[in-house]
Amino acid sequence: SLLSLICATGMAQEIPYESLSKRLVELYDLDQANRMKLFTNQVSSEERPTFLKELRKQDSLNQQEVIQILDTYGWLPSSAIGEKAATSLFLVIQHAGLTIMEKYYPLLKAQAEQQEARTMYAAMMQDRILMYQGKRQIYGSQASSRPSSGGEGNESFIWPIEDVEEVNERRKEVGFPSTVEENALRLSAIF
């Protein structure tokens, strides 16, 4: 159903939640399909550079669409578009650069505070922004990589965490289902 939003102009604007939800679900599938190929090792080392270039191209196309949606309607509430579409908004912006994340994070955070977006997603985006800024993360959700000490390939590590002794309590408060140690294992990252 269509609900009204009062725009900055003071005029009511109909939000086509159903069609936006449908498109966001399609973008979710586009975002995740290639990533699943990477995570399940379906891409050979020879194919990887071309594959990553295509992944970045698809990410850019997804971001253009999602940014248009966000700039027109704001961060859509999950109760109006459904969980998968709401996750799509998060993922597409999470896979963008720092400037885009910084611009839209306040919208995500506001929806999370209204229970219209997952607080865990707001925490993950906050951590990624902090990591990209070269600062310590809060929830331990982000990993990075560096050349391995043996000189062959890269090794992944959990980005440094502020007040690491309390990180698992903070994770629990915002809905992470795992500890930072379990997350490191899932990501095959050093913690």
Side-chain angles (χ1 to χ4, degrees), residues 64-75:
Q64 288 173 26
E65 282 194 66
V66 166
I67 287 169
Q68 184 177 357
I69 291 168
L70 293 173
D71 287 348
T72 303
Y73 304 108
W75 200 284

Side-chain angles (χ1 to χ4, degrees), residues 15-139:
I15 301 177
Y17 285 121
E18 192 173 322
S19 62
L20 290 170
S21 175
K22 183 178 182 214
R23 183 59 187 149
L24 286 166
V25 166
E26 291 168 352
L27 292 175
Y28 174 96
D29 292 340
L30 288 169
D31 179 88
Q32 291 297 290
N34 286 332
R35 284 180 169 78
M36 293 315 292
K37 287 180 186 175
L38 273 179
F39 295 132
T40 57
N41 297 316
Q42 295 178 32
V43 180
S44 70
S45 55
E46 297 83 30
E47 298 169 318
R48 192 175 178 91
T50 302
F51 187 85
L52 290 174
K53 184 178 177 184
E54 287 301 313
L55 179 76
R56 285 188 291 274
K57 181 179 175 183
Q58 185 63 56
D59 282 352
S60 179
L61 294 171
N62 293 352
Q63 289 158 20
Q64 288 173 26
E65 282 194 66
V66 166
I67 287 169
Q68 184 177 357
I69 291 168
L70 293 173
D71 287 348
T72 303
Y73 304 108
W75 200 284
L76 301 170
S78 61
S79 64
I81 60 171
E83 191 60 39
K84 190 171 183 179
T87 299
S88 179
L89 284 175
F90 161 71
L91 288 173
V92 171
I93 297 302
Q94 180 82 344
H95 295 146
L98 177 60
T99 304
I100 292 172
M101 281 190 293
E102 287 175 327
K103 179 177 180 180
Y104 296 104
Y105 170 72
L107 299 176
L108 168 58
K109 185 176 181 198
Q111 288 291 42
E113 289 169 356
Q114 299 296 314
Q115 284 124 26
E116 286 291 355
R118 288 189 181 191
T119 52
M120 182 177 72
Y121 292 163
M124 290 171 73
M125 191 172 293
Q126 183 178 15
D127 272 358
R128 185 162 290 187
I129 288 169
L130 290 168
M131 181 179 74
Y132 283 3
Q133 292 172 338
K135 299 175 183 174
R136 291 179 178 271
Q137 62 180 322
I138 297 169
Y139 300 97

